[in-house]
Amino acid sequence: MSSRHFDNPFEDYDASKHGGTDETTLLDKPLILKLVKDYVERILAGSGKSDYKLRADLYVGEAGIAYMFEKLSRSTQLKDLFPCLEHAHHFIQRAKEIAAASSKSSRTSRVAFLCGNAGVAAVSAVIAHDLGEQDEADRELHRFREGYSVAVSGGYDADEILVGRAGYLSGAFWLNQVLPAKPIKRAEIEAVCTVLLKRGREYAKVRRCAVPLMYEYHESDYLGAAHGLCSILHMLLESPWFGEGSGASETKLADIRGSVEAFLQIQDEDGNFPTRLVGSDKKLIHWCHGCSGAIYLLAKAYLVFKEEKYLAGCRKCADSIWRHGLLYKGPGICHGVAGNGYAFLLMYRLTGEKRYLYRAGRFAEFLSAGCFVANARTPDRPFSLYEGLAGTVCFLADLLEPSQASFPFMDVFGVKYAGNE
């Protein structure tokens, strides 16, 4: 048994045993519904009673729980189990109160999406829109846009997805996906991408990297989704430059594509990636570090470039997650069982192959296994979106509607950039 993961107790998919004619035969729907109800009740009973200071943000704060309820309100199978928008409004109001009282740098927080006020504003705008409060939605969109001037400033030093430009872009894409007005302009998205590209080129040149684009976070050349290269490249691939009639220069496209190709070359035979570009052989099966997050970049590259090598890379990631992804760290989506299960839902949408929906179902089933309940670590923020149960609920909700499933703020299938010109 590994020190990081439980042994996988399930046999893999076999069409002769598991090849039913529809999705329902591969999933234990009563168990999924029970887990959703149990987890939401625990969130409602326990939220705000942590030993840790409450946070506002999406990553481990109240806004993440608000996002979960907003997502449930869109689920045809779950929206009537709870007063979802009422709860979403409650948690986002609490997030806004915490954010208003915070002493965090306003400059950093304006652009930070997962760990700052940009994410709070974006989710608040969507919830207000859902409730028919358009004036409030417009005010919150204005607050989100306050991050734009910071993001296009060359003096702002964060590029990754937690507090940097890539995260701000993921928020912009999400807003244009879920709001009918598609409020973030194409020109604004392109401007952020231009700064991101310039900074990646400059840092790669200084570090003499073989990768055309590279970025620094906390003095390290991280590769993982939360902290490093792969999510930055993913957001660049989501940009208007890769849409029809983009008009992007060949140099821009070549540098991005060359970096994606170089990243794929780093994948090892087991399907995983090191945590850093240089000087690390540490391999983690997490969304934040390793193949569970890298798979989203490779999937997007496959959809953009139509080359089988990227799909082959995705399959290697998924196989590694199947072998090593039942983590001791808990149920969450950043570094937990649900986050690893999400990779199988991505693969099901990408390929239509039932083996991946079967695997996702087994990871959900493992959440109720006695050995997991008894031995998994309780996260520091046990009810949160990325570490705790709120993210797990999102995974379970997507498992019930797998044709629409997407890891929070990383939907590779939507044409999300097409905002107002």
Side-chain angles (χ1 to χ4, degrees), residues 85-333:
L85 286 179
E86 180 182 320
H87 288 316
H89 181 262
H90 166 76
F91 281 100
I92 202 63
Q93 288 301 116
R94 196 151 75 176
K96 289 159 69 173
E97 291 167 6
I98 296 166
S102 173
S103 60
K104 270 189 173 182
S105 162
S106 60
R107 178 177 169 83
T108 299
S109 198
R110 282 201 302 271
V111 72
F113 185 69
L114 293 185
C115 292
N117 289 348
V120 177
V123 172
S124 182
V126 172
I127 292 169
H129 171 269
D130 292 351
L131 291 169
E133 300 171 356
Q134 195 55 47
D135 288 345
E136 177 66 10
D138 290 342
R139 283 191 289 271
E140 293 301 323
L141 286 170
H142 176 76
R143 291 190 180 96
F144 177 82
R145 285 199 185 91
E146 289 176 353
Y148 172 72
S149 61
V150 181
V152 297
S153 164
Y156 187 70
D157 289 333
D159 296 306
E160 44 58 72
I161 209 160
L162 292 184
V163 299
R165 292 176 178 85
Y168 190 78
L169 285 172
S170 75
F173 296 145
W174 179 69
L175 285 168
N176 281 354
Q177 181 184 31
V178 299
L179 294 179
K182 300 188 183 301
I184 311 304
K185 294 179 180 179
R186 174 177 176 144
E188 293 171 337
I189 290 170
E190 287 190 355
V192 178
C193 289
T194 297
V195 176
L196 200 54
L197 190 70
K198 180 175 183 289
R199 286 176 54 82
R201 286 170 172 165
E202 290 173 349
Y203 184 75
K205 184 176 180 180
V206 168
R207 289 299 301 264
R208 298 180 180 178
C209 296
V211 183
L213 305 175
M214 193 60 215
Y215 302 84
E216 179 266 343
Y217 181 72
H218 287 187
E219 300 180 352
S220 289
D221 301 336
Y222 283 118
L223 297 174
H227 306 297
L229 179 65
C230 71
S231 280
I232 297 172
L233 294 177
H234 177 187
M235 293 306 130
L236 287 171
L237 288 182
E238 294 280 8
S239 77
W241 292 339
F242 290 93
E244 261 187 61
S246 67
S249 72
E250 288 301 316
T251 305
K252 287 177 180 177
L253 303 187
D255 280 356
I256 298 169
R257 184 167 188 165
S259 299
V260 176
E261 290 180 353
F263 181 79
L264 179 61
Q265 293 301 313
I266 300 169
Q267 188 175 35
D268 66 23
E269 286 303 311
D270 193 47
N272 207 0
F273 296 82
T275 58
R276 296 192 298 273
L277 182 63
V278 178
S280 174
D281 60 358
K282 189 176 184 180
K283 307 290 177 66
L284 301 174
I285 311 287
H286 301 171
W287 171 79
C288 50
H289 291 291
C291 58
S292 308
I295 195 171
Y296 296 93
L297 168 62
L298 300 183
K300 189 65 189 182
Y302 173 65
L303 292 171
V304 169
F305 302 127
K306 314 296 184 187
E307 292 189 29
E308 288 297 319
K309 64 184 178 183
Y310 296 113
L311 180 58
C314 289
R315 291 188 188 280
K316 288 175 68 175
C317 287
D319 288 345
S320 188
I321 294 165
W322 176 250
R323 292 189 295 269
H324 311 302
L326 294 171
L327 301 178
Y328 278 108
K329 281 198 168 186
I333 62 172

Side-chain angles (χ1 to χ4, degrees), residues 37 86 95 125 237 256 340 342 345 354 386 396 407 410:
K37 291 175 184 177
E86 180 182 320
L237 288 182
I256 298 169
N340 286 341
Y342 252 125
L345 290 179
K354 292 178 181 178
Y386 278 78
L396 294 169
F407 192 96
M410 296 191 79

Side-chain angles (χ1 to χ4, degrees), residues 59-86:
Y59 188 73
V60 292
E62 303 298 277
I65 299 174
Y67 167 84
M68 177 205 75
F69 277 114
E70 197 281 332
K71 182 179 179 70
L72 291 182
S73 75
R74 295 170 181 262
S75 168
T76 58
Q77 299 194 48
L78 299 172
K79 63 182 180 180
D80 296 326
L81 292 180
F82 315 97
C84 294
L85 286 179
E86 180 182 320

